[in-house]
Amino acid sequence: MPKRMLETLGIPFDDTVNWTMNTADQQQSRLLGVCHSVEIDVGGVKVDTNIFVNEQAKFDVLLGRPWERSVQARYQNTTEGHLMCQ
């Protein structure tokens, strides 16, 4: 998530990490830190997951594979063009 969301949410933040991540355009972006064990509630399914913080991102939060594994997410593409997550 971007730093602006961290400031909005006011959740505990660990800035002692020194990590980078690869972006979709194959660039490297330095992470500012991590918010440990944040409760995420999607449709009543609640899990704790780590949220990584960078300076700027084009999204509010990107849950990604760790969250998908935790909730055992399954996806279904419908003939109407919708994507459903179960």
Side-chain angles (χ1 to χ4, degrees), residues 23-46:
T23 61
D25 59 358
Q26 302 305 312
Q27 301 296 314
Q28 283 201 339
S29 175
R30 184 176 136 345
L31 295 174
L32 301 176
V34 61
C35 300
H36 296 284
S37 299
V38 178
E39 183 180 75
I40 302 293
D41 181 343
V42 177
V45 177
K46 298 178 184 181

Side-chain angles (χ1 to χ4, degrees), residues 63-82:
L63 295 175
R65 292 286 298 142
W67 176 82
E68 290 175 336
R69 279 195 323 268
S70 294
V71 300
Q72 299 179 6
R74 291 179 287 155
Y75 298 96
Q76 178 183 359
N77 287 290
T78 68
T79 55
E80 296 83 18
H82 299 103

